[in-house]
Amino acid sequence: MLPATYSAGVSRGPSSTHSPAQAWAALAPLLAGQPRVRLSRDAGKTYPQKHERTLSETLPTVPAAVRIFGKDGTCAAIFLDFDSSVAGIDWVEADVRAVQTWLHSVGARWIEDYSPNGGRHVYIPLEQRVTFSEARDLVEALGTRYRSLDKTPHQNLLHGCMRTPGSPHKRGGYQELAMSLSMAYDVARRPNPATAWAAMKADLAGEMAAVRALRLEGTITPATAETPRLQHPAGRMSRTMQLMAQTGLYDTNRYASDSEARQAVVTGAAAAGLELVDVERRMMQGTWPGLASFYARYASRHRVPALRKDWLNAIAYLSKNLESRDGKNNARISPTSQPNTQPPVLQGNLVSSNPDAEHRFIRTWRNALRLKERAYLDSRTGLARRMVLRSLGEAAHMTRSRFIEFGDRSIAVATGLDHTTVGSHLRALRNEKDPLVTLVEQGRGTKGDLYMLTVPEEVKTAAEDLSWRKGKIHALRPVFRELGLPAAFVYEALEHSPGLSTSEIVKLTRLSRTAVTEALEVMAAWNMIARNNARAWSVVASTSLKDLAEHFGVMEAVATQLQRYAIERILWKEWLSKNVNTVAELLSPGEDYPWEAFEGPPDEWALTDMAFTRAG
């Protein structure tokens, strides 16, 4: 029998009156693994990372899910999500009653709420935070007992999140407590002691051993991992090691324990040329919560010494084996070395004999772009074409020439678009009545199309009269693959003109007020921009766009795109070798692109560096 105070846990309504806002303010901060919450802008369908905010006691107006795991890879509560879409409401009711009986038997207390669609959440607050691996094993073990239990929230360290009591629901209404708020608050304030957690694990020992054994049979390979991988001399951690550091997931056929997995990650970081302080920073700032979770079993004061011990072991191992790898060890190449920023040597008369004149022309063309792009509509197509033009402008600066000879795939990497989409945009841009770019020569063999930047006659006088804008012109910087094109244009405007109001940004960027407001809200949540007392926005210089991109996992998407294009290029070369008589001439070294040189781009490089800089 359940205690009388918990009999309300299986009822259809709360045992006392309280508002959703009160439930959210009281419980969300205590249950969350870290003070972050993700908002759903599509009525509860998705909770993207870009819509993550600092968790506050104010109830969000849209469905909101708190992060389950903290930056150290541990959680403060176990979140059990019983999904009515799996087997119906009756099955959910039965599973919830069964799990409550089990929790009572091991001396644990819990909080329960229910959704308007019949789903139920059971929260088990813990006095001592537990690691990602421990929490995942326990929830997966419970999943073998209860059919309607959704295990996925505890299977993803970076993106695991769940709605808590009071959160708006996608079907209308809210997550309603199935008990009094005072009782739920008492459970959250006096969480389950370590003895209750030990009792839960002991009772589930058999099932936990079974789910671990299942992982031994089925290798855990993240979906973004590609096989076979292309070898590279860039001195960068492999994507497998980076995913282990970020997610805490590893191949149990290769690593028998968390200790072995963490040593592999630390060794990979050392081999890639990172320093110990780089690894510590990534762990402390939450960029590598998976690696942090491997050290969570230590007391706080012992975690850094344990990391340093592993680091020394890694350095000793690499030093011993450095000469045995035929000079291909990643430790030989440091990613902190300066990338080759020299422009490629273009053939013929593509580079002007007067570099200053080319520089002035490119600056004037940028003025023309500012004037001309006002005609592009605030739509996905219009924004994409504006970004393609920016990529061409940045390429021109890098090559110091108005002539740009790069393929669609290079521009696709620089803009975050697919190469087929880039091709359609380029055709539309060059076919405009008074275009900003002109096709000089179509590509052949491994050569890309040759484009020339053009100052349209209709804006030529105005462009020449405008003062040149200081600073660089950027294509799509990696972080904005996650945050979106509107955010990229808003950030660009604030870089060049700090202290703008929202209305001024709308006027300057030619975006809708809704798009600008949402972009400002998203970037402010990630401390990329801030507003002063005069309600004017400015860029926060101390926030690193590179670090945010790494935190979002954007570089994985970039690396995947680069590898896909590398494979396509290999296939294209093979086709040329069989079908083109002049293949030797077409494949001259100066005409190739270095896609196959990288498994992933060095940290210091922007997307356009990856796309446009040739191998040195």
Side-chain angles (χ1 to χ4, degrees):
M1 290 290 292
L2 296 177
T5 54
Y6 268 47
S7 62
V10 294
S11 69
R12 294 296 295 170
S15 58
S16 64
T17 302
H18 59 266
S19 69
Q22 290 173 324
W24 175 270
L27 301 176
L30 297 177
L31 295 173
Q34 60 175 294
R36 301 289 287 178
V37 60
R38 292 190 180 178
L39 307 181
S40 177
R41 300 293 189 186
D42 54 5
K45 295 178 182 178
T46 61
Y47 295 84
Q49 190 173 20
K50 72 175 183 178
H51 290 319
E52 188 172 298
R53 305 284 187 272
T54 299
L55 176 61
S56 71
E57 294 183 357
T58 303
L59 179 65
T61 58
V62 296
V66 302
R67 290 282 299 275
I68 293 177
F69 295 99
K71 292 182 178 180
D72 61 352
T74 66
C75 61
I78 300 298
F79 289 64
L80 303 181
D81 181 10
F82 294 91
D83 190 352
S84 60
S85 66
V86 174
I89 296 177
D90 291 341
W91 203 297
V92 168
E93 295 278 0
D95 281 349
V96 170
R97 288 190 179 92
V99 82
Q100 288 177 344
T101 301
W102 172 74
L103 287 170
H104 177 58
S105 70
V106 295
R109 302 200 305 160
W110 65 91
I111 299 169
E112 183 198 350
D113 70 9
Y114 60 89
S115 305
N117 65 352
R120 295 211 172 210
H121 297 166
V122 174
Y123 313 89
I124 311 170
L126 301 171
E127 188 175 73
Q128 295 182 5
R129 298 174 70 98
V130 298
T131 66
F132 166 69
S133 297
E134 290 180 297
R136 179 189 58 179
D137 287 349
L138 185 129
V139 173
E140 289 183 348
L142 285 174
T144 65
R145 291 186 179 183
Y146 308 113
R147 178 181 176 183
S148 64
L149 178 60
D150 182 4
K151 304 178 290 294
T152 55
H154 274 277
Q155 291 177 322
N156 196 311
L157 180 60
L158 292 176
H159 303 293
C161 57
M162 204 161 86
R163 295 187 311 276
T164 52
S167 169
H169 192 268
K170 62 183 179 181
R171 292 192 177 181
Y174 302 88
Q175 290 294 130
E176 293 281 359
L177 278 172
M179 57 205 306
S180 70
L181 177 57
S182 60
M183 181 187 298
Y185 185 69
D186 180 69
V187 174
R189 290 287 294 174
R190 295 191 298 120
N192 292 289
T195 53
W197 174 251
M200 284 188 277
K201 291 200 300 180
D203 191 72
L204 288 169
E207 289 94 333
M208 292 173 72
V211 296
R212 293 192 194 104
L214 185 61
R215 285 195 211 108
L216 287 173
E217 295 175 6
T219 300
I220 293 179
T221 304
T224 52
E226 297 280 349
T227 55
R229 294 188 293 108
L230 296 177
Q231 297 299 316
H232 65 88
R236 183 173 175 84
M237 287 179 69
S238 70
R239 294 201 299 280
T240 300
M241 289 295 107
Q242 290 191 54
L243 286 169
M244 285 170 58
Q246 291 173 349
T247 67
L249 299 175
Y250 55 87
D251 180 359
T252 50
N253 285 316
R254 185 170 185 180
Y255 307 108
S257 65
D258 287 1
S259 297
E260 292 186 18
R262 83 183 190 214
Q263 185 65 68
V265 173
V266 171
T267 303
L274 295 180
E275 298 181 8
L276 177 58
V277 66
D278 298 322
V279 178
E280 290 179 350
R281 176 179 60 80
R282 284 165 167 78
M283 287 176 56
M284 298 297 184
Q285 295 181 352
T287 303
W288 284 356
L291 181 60
S293 73
F294 295 151
Y295 290 93
R297 69 184 184 89
Y298 295 103
S300 298
R301 65 181 183 278
H302 296 313
R303 291 173 189 172
V304 171
L307 171 62
R308 291 177 179 172
K309 181 179 178 181
D310 290 343
W311 183 264
L312 293 176
N313 290 337
I315 296 298
Y317 172 81
L318 292 171
S319 299
K320 181 179 178 180
N321 291 276
L322 188 62
E323 299 302 326
S324 65
R325 298 192 180 186
D326 300 325
K328 295 182 180 179
N329 192 289
N330 283 343
R332 291 180 177 272
I333 306 173
S334 169
T336 59
S337 60
Q338 292 297 319
N340 174 31
T341 57
Q342 295 302 312
V345 178
L346 299 181
Q347 304 298 321
N349 60 353
L350 300 186
V351 177
S352 170
S353 59
N354 188 341
D356 289 338
E358 285 296 285
H359 174 75
R360 290 194 296 271
F361 177 86
I362 296 170
R363 290 285 181 175
T364 302
W365 179 86
R366 286 177 55 180
N367 285 345
L369 173 62
R370 290 165 56 191
L371 297 170
K372 181 83 171 176
E373 71 176 354
R374 296 175 181 175
Y376 293 113
L377 298 176
D378 177 19
S379 63
R380 180 178 298 180
T381 298
L383 296 180
R385 288 179 184 172
R386 290 168 66 177
M387 191 55 67
V388 168
L389 289 168
R390 276 163 173 72
S391 71
L392 295 175
E394 185 166 7
H397 272 302
M398 295 176 71
T399 58
R400 303 173 190 174
S401 169
R402 72 187 71 184
F403 294 94
I404 304 152
E405 188 179 31
F406 300 112
D408 292 349
R409 287 171 175 78
S410 293
I411 299 173
V413 176
T415 57
L417 302 171
D418 184 77
H419 68 281
T420 57
T421 305
V422 168
S424 66
H425 287 318
L426 285 171
R427 286 190 294 273
L429 288 169
R430 72 196 188 208
N431 290 326
E432 289 181 349
K433 181 179 179 181
D434 207 357
L436 285 157
V437 291
T438 302
L439 179 64
V440 177
E441 180 181 346
Q442 289 189 332
R444 62 186 183 93
T446 59
K447 283 188 175 182
D449 292 337
L450 176 61
Y451 281 93
M452 180 181 69
L453 301 185
T454 306
V455 177
E457 287 295 330
E458 63 177 314
V459 297
K460 185 174 183 179
T461 302
E464 292 173 346
D465 292 341
L466 272 178
S467 59
W468 291 339
R469 174 175 283 182
K470 295 180 180 180
K472 299 179 180 179
I473 182 173
H474 292 283
L476 191 71
R477 285 168 283 191
V479 68
F480 294 109
R481 285 197 177 203
E482 174 70 19
L483 301 183
L485 288 176
F489 290 117
V490 171
Y491 191 87
E492 175 190 78
L494 292 175
E495 276 184 311
H496 292 293
S497 304
L500 296 175
S501 67
T502 302
S503 298
E504 290 171 331
I505 297 172
V506 170
K507 182 178 180 180
L508 187 62
T509 60
R510 304 292 173 176
L511 300 173
S512 70
R513 191 174 187 87
T514 300
V516 169
T517 301
E518 181 175 331
L520 291 171
E521 183 181 351
V522 168
M523 291 191 290
W526 291 101
N527 198 37
M528 297 169 62
I529 60 174
R531 187 161 51 178
N532 60 25
N533 294 332
R535 313 288 289 178
W537 295 94
S538 297
V539 167
V540 177
S542 59
T543 299
S544 169
L545 300 188
K546 178 178 74 69
D547 289 348
L548 277 178
E550 187 174 1
H551 178 79
F552 288 147
V554 173
M555 303 315 293
E556 292 305 311
V558 178
T560 300
Q561 187 179 21
L562 285 168
Q563 188 176 47
R564 176 163 64 91
Y565 290 162
I567 294 172
E568 291 175 359
R569 193 157 189 80
I570 291 171
L571 296 175
W572 174 237
K573 286 181 179 179
E574 291 178 352
W575 185 90
L576 286 174
S577 66
K578 297 175 182 178
N579 296 277
V580 181
N581 294 330
T582 57
V583 67
E585 177 184 351
L586 291 174
L587 297 180
S588 61
E591 296 174 352
D592 205 358
Y593 303 118
W595 288 321
E596 54 265 47
F598 308 105
E599 179 186 359
D603 284 343
E604 293 84 355
W605 289 19
L607 285 182
T608 41
D609 293 315
M610 293 182 271
F612 300 132
T613 304
R614 305 191 185 206

